[in-house]
Amino acid sequence: MRNFRKISALAAAVIMAFSAGCADKSITSEESSSQEQKSSAAAEATVAPETFGEKVTTTAATTTTTAAPTTTTAAETTAAATVTAASTFPQTLPPDKDVEAGSGGTLRSALSGKSIGKINIMVQNQWQLDDVIGFYEQNGGEVTVDNVNESNFYDELAIRVVSGDSPDLTYCSFKPVSVKRWIYQPMDDFVDLDSDRWKGIKDVAISYVFDGGLYALPFRSYPTCYVCYDKKKIYENALDDPYDLWKSGEWNMDAMIEMMEAYRASSGKKTALCGYITGGFAGANGTGFFTNSGGGVKFNGRDETLATVMDKVGELYNKAGLIETSWVGSAEDAFFYGNLFYMIGEWAFSGPLAPGEEDDWGIVPVPSLDGKLLAVGCEPDCLSAVSGSPNKENIPAFLECAREPVINKSYIETERKEFAEENPTWSEEMLEVRNAVLTNEYKKIVDHYPYMTFGTDKEDISGVCSLWYKDFDSWEDMLKVYGKDLEAGI
């Protein structure tokens, strides 16, 4: 089961749910038991022999695992269980000749003249790089992977840099905005972002430019959420199928809200939507809460579109009360609790959490205000070069291998085929939507929210942007109190 974004989407959802204080009401013992069963199912799911999160040693290199003892929360336990069930990359990597025409040439040509040898990578979850490592090893490289617990990742990295034991690269899907930049070296000399091979990345990469240097290279990105729904609820309540609305260009935010209101009126259920609400709608409307133009982080809260979206979201919470505010860990549970829609990453309705044989589910992109803008919030995969890297000369070749899964047509087709095989209960409609959103047709909105804070003496940004509706009647009222601090940047 190949699912690149499973843990990143899960981590984002867990952070949103717990750090933003989403648990406004207690989970019943029955709900808690159901959640535990989900985690157990994810942990025990059967996967192919070469497993993300399980396979740590690559080639003949010796792998060191670093994980300091930490206190594990319930959220972290859930995340860990899902990581265990993470997926494999295609077992047979495609040949260079199958690279899509116009994508910047084959990997073999990209590696021409570049040094290929040893590389040491420090990661939080190795499975997110297994395909990249596969391409590098196919071309003669040797990789050692150090898996380090997320909670002490940067502390361990700083210690290694100071002690002269730097890895060559680090991978982390979280935004490295607040990382002390002396730990990293600029990556501008390692890759040509103006080349055809890296086409489309430059606009995303600017989010990681600080003090004139590129400190993280986003080599691919995946949607943070879709809207998953139970078609049985749609039929039983005589509602339009969101998939049909999406195909006809009528799937927009108002249409979704009207369906939620009609569902509550006909079903008698209290709520109709749960999941990654605030960030999901912001990304779908093309404006993240924070952006970096290379000259510093900017707060976009006064953007007219974002303000309109947030007022609609606030009304769903406050006036309409249509939002389920407790944490729900799977689509099945979301529907069991009575919700019509579950807005979350595909990890929550694929693999061990996929629909059952008797289920009839659908997915659609999170809608924009007018339904015409095709955009989605995304979580990027990034690589950063570490100061003092012992194998600096091999970094450019590894980065070219990191780009290969994104542009190799044969590889993309293989991934889609394997995903469909590993999720046999996904309908053709669901697969169609997933494939559409992953293409360049949908603009990917990289947002630094919610992984930044003002500092030790101010509110957490995720709290301000996620929970503003609790204390204010409108987004404008929130800005009157927090606007200047938010606009001051980080």
Side-chain angles (χ1 to χ4, degrees), residues 228-407:
C228 185
Y229 61 98
D230 185 349
K231 291 203 174 194
K232 292 179 181 178
K233 286 184 168 58
I234 296 293
Y235 303 147
E236 290 170 356
N237 292 276
L239 301 173
D240 292 328
D241 191 324
Y243 172 81
D244 294 335
L245 295 176
W246 173 69
K247 291 287 287 186
S248 64
E250 300 173 276
W251 178 240
N252 55 49
M253 202 168 172
D254 284 339
M256 182 177 178
I257 293 172
E258 289 174 5
M259 289 182 67
M260 291 160 58
E261 292 173 337
Y263 169 72
R264 185 168 62 179
S266 62
S267 69
K269 301 295 183 181
K270 292 181 61 178
T271 62
L273 173 66
C274 59
Y276 181 62
I277 312 300
T278 309
F281 278 123
N285 282 279
T287 306
F289 290 95
F290 295 88
T291 55
N292 178 17
S293 60
V297 178
K298 175 188 175 183
F299 175 60
N300 299 320
R302 298 190 190 279
D303 177 89
E304 184 177 347
T305 296
L306 184 60
T308 300
V309 170
M310 287 303 100
D311 278 335
K312 284 182 177 292
V313 170
E315 189 163 314
L316 288 176
Y317 276 107
N318 289 336
K319 296 180 181 178
L322 285 163
I323 306 295
E324 169 75 51
T325 55
S326 59
W327 167 244
V328 179
S330 72
E332 182 178 348
D333 282 350
F335 303 146
F336 177 78
Y337 300 152
N339 291 290
L340 179 65
F341 295 127
Y342 187 38
M343 210 157 81
I344 205 74
E346 69 179 40
W347 62 267
F349 45 87
S350 64
L353 303 179
E357 294 290 345
E358 72 286 355
D359 293 321
D360 185 11
W361 296 355
I363 62 170
V364 285
V366 178
S368 59
L369 285 169
D370 61 6
K372 297 179 181 179
L373 177 65
L374 304 182
V376 61
C378 73
E379 186 74 22
D381 280 343
C382 293
L383 285 165
S384 295
V386 183
S387 296
S389 54
N391 302 296
K392 183 176 180 179
E393 69 279 4
N394 297 328
I395 291 177
F398 191 86
L399 297 181
E400 294 297 346
C401 290
R403 187 62 175 156
E404 189 68 6
V406 183
I407 64 174

Side-chain angles (χ1 to χ4, degrees), residues 105-344:
T106 66
L107 176 58
R108 188 168 293 112
S109 64
L111 295 177
S112 177
K114 293 183 174 66
S115 175
I116 301 175
K118 294 182 178 179
I119 282 286
N120 175 258
I121 308 174
M122 186 169 158
V123 302
Q124 296 175 6
N125 300 288
Q126 181 194 340
W127 62 267
Q128 292 163 312
L129 277 179
D130 266 357
D131 56 345
V132 177
I133 292 171
F135 278 110
Y136 191 70
E137 291 177 344
Q138 266 195 343
N139 287 275
E142 183 179 320
V143 182
T144 302
V145 176
D146 297 338
N147 284 278
V148 178
N149 189 285
E150 178 185 325
S151 63
N152 65 310
F153 185 87
Y154 290 111
D155 289 340
E156 174 68 19
L157 179 59
I159 291 172
R160 290 186 59 175
V161 171
V162 171
S163 63
D165 184 30
S166 297
D168 298 302
L169 295 163
T170 65
Y171 166 87
C172 187
S173 61
F174 291 176
K175 291 77 172 175
V177 175
S178 59
V179 176
K180 293 182 179 179
R181 292 189 286 279
W182 60 266
I183 292 178
Y184 293 115
Q185 54 182 309
M187 302 187 71
D188 307 66
D189 295 335
F190 296 129
V191 64
D192 180 10
L193 293 181
D194 290 319
S195 67
D196 287 342
R197 190 172 177 81
W198 289 88
K199 188 176 182 180
I201 286 295
K202 195 169 185 177
D203 290 341
V204 178
I206 197 171
S207 293
Y208 302 94
V209 173
F210 301 94
D211 301 330
L214 178 66
Y215 284 88
L217 178 65
F219 56 93
R220 64 184 168 200
S221 59
Y222 288 85
T224 51
C225 58
Y226 299 82
V227 176
C228 185
Y229 61 98
D230 185 349
K231 291 203 174 194
K232 292 179 181 178
K233 286 184 168 58
I234 296 293
Y235 303 147
E236 290 170 356
N237 292 276
L239 301 173
D240 292 328
D241 191 324
Y243 172 81
D244 294 335
L245 295 176
W246 173 69
K247 291 287 287 186
S248 64
E250 300 173 276
W251 178 240
N252 55 49
M253 202 168 172
D254 284 339
M256 182 177 178
I257 293 172
E258 289 174 5
M259 289 182 67
M260 291 160 58
E261 292 173 337
Y263 169 72
R264 185 168 62 179
S266 62
S267 69
K269 301 295 183 181
K270 292 181 61 178
T271 62
L273 173 66
C274 59
Y276 181 62
I277 312 300
T278 309
F281 278 123
N285 282 279
T287 306
F289 290 95
F290 295 88
T291 55
N292 178 17
S293 60
V297 178
K298 175 188 175 183
F299 175 60
N300 299 320
R302 298 190 190 279
D303 177 89
E304 184 177 347
T305 296
L306 184 60
T308 300
V309 170
M310 287 303 100
D311 278 335
K312 284 182 177 292
V313 170
E315 189 163 314
L316 288 176
Y317 276 107
N318 289 336
K319 296 180 181 178
L322 285 163
I323 306 295
E324 169 75 51
T325 55
S326 59
W327 167 244
V328 179
S330 72
E332 182 178 348
D333 282 350
F335 303 146
F336 177 78
Y337 300 152
N339 291 290
L340 179 65
F341 295 127
Y342 187 38
M343 210 157 81
I344 205 74

